[in-house]
Amino acid sequence: NLLTDFERTLNETKARWTGICPVRAAISSMLFDELLRQTSIDMPERGLLLLRVRDEARMTIDALKSLHEASGEYGARKLHDTTRGKPELVDTIERLSQERDDLKKQEKALAAKMTSLERCVKEQKDADEKRYAAERQFLMSTNERLVQHIDSVKRMHEQERDRKST
């Protein structure tokens, strides 16, 4: 009798059978209150025990509801905190990416310039070495001619001295 009334009432009010449904919760609460009333009439000790169980269940449900609300607020607050700084971070990422790209371009340009300068320095060094080698060769041959000339002048002086002394 009580079960059929319960199911009929649920169907009439179009309460959901699954998930959280306030209509089904209210009807279930009324059913529990009626069971509590009938049990209390027949057996007062069991009625008192059911009363405690009902109160404990309601306190647990209320605690879970407040926890659920608090967690929803916490999630919304965290979502807001997370998305609040996002545009600035996106701008910073774009700016830093642009700076990185610019620095890579500078690096390539400087590497090309350095390669060019190294090549110029090497060519200059090779040219200087050739010039110094030619100059050294010229100075050595000039030195050798001067030494020969000095030797010939000395011999001539010696010959003249020998002639004068004889």
Side-chain angles (χ1 to χ4, degrees):
N1 185 6
L2 203 54
L3 180 60
T4 55
D5 288 344
F6 176 68
E7 289 176 352
R8 185 175 34 78
T9 307
L10 285 176
N11 286 330
E12 287 173 359
T13 57
K14 297 184 181 171
R16 286 181 282 160
W17 287 94
T18 59
I20 298 173
C21 177
V23 174
R24 191 180 78 225
I27 294 170
S28 296
S29 179
M30 289 186 327
L31 173 66
F32 197 82
D33 289 343
E34 181 59 27
L35 285 173
L36 178 63
R37 186 187 68 75
Q38 288 179 9
T39 305
S40 295
I41 292 171
D42 293 339
M43 296 174 207
E45 294 86 20
R46 281 191 186 174
L48 186 59
L49 184 59
L50 278 176
L51 178 65
R52 286 184 183 173
V53 169
R54 181 194 66 186
D55 292 343
E56 187 65 33
R58 284 184 181 168
M59 286 192 314
T60 302
I61 289 171
D62 289 342
L64 289 174
K65 282 181 184 177
S66 66
L67 181 63
H68 177 59
E69 290 171 5
S71 67
E73 291 170 4
Y74 176 77
R77 194 169 51 250
K78 279 298 182 184
L79 177 65
H80 180 271
D81 290 347
T82 302
T83 57
R84 181 180 51 196
K86 187 175 179 181
E88 292 85 13
L89 289 176
V90 169
D91 291 343
T92 302
I93 288 170
E94 289 176 7
R95 181 179 50 80
L96 290 174
S97 295
Q98 183 62 41
E99 284 181 27
R100 181 198 62 212
D101 294 343
D102 292 344
L103 289 173
K104 282 183 178 180
K105 287 177 185 176
Q106 278 183 336
E107 178 188 26
K108 286 180 182 178
L110 289 174
K113 186 175 181 179
M114 186 175 82
T115 303
S116 173
L117 286 174
E118 285 175 344
R119 187 173 11 100
C120 287
V121 166
K122 185 178 183 318
E123 289 172 1
Q124 183 67 37
K125 181 181 173 188
D126 291 346
D128 287 347
E129 285 178 359
K130 275 185 180 180
R131 191 180 73 220
Y132 294 148
E135 190 175 334
R136 182 174 181 256
Q137 185 65 34
F138 171 76
L139 290 174
M140 287 178 76
S141 65
T142 303
N143 186 35
E144 189 174 316
R145 280 190 305 239
L146 287 174
V147 166
Q148 288 174 357
H149 181 66
I150 290 173
D151 286 344
S152 71
V153 168
K154 279 183 182 178
R155 270 184 276 144
M156 284 175 51
H157 270 96
E158 285 178 6
Q159 286 174 357
E160 265 183 52
R161 219 179 338 170
D162 285 343
R163 261 190 264 156
K164 285 186 183 179
S165 35
T166 47

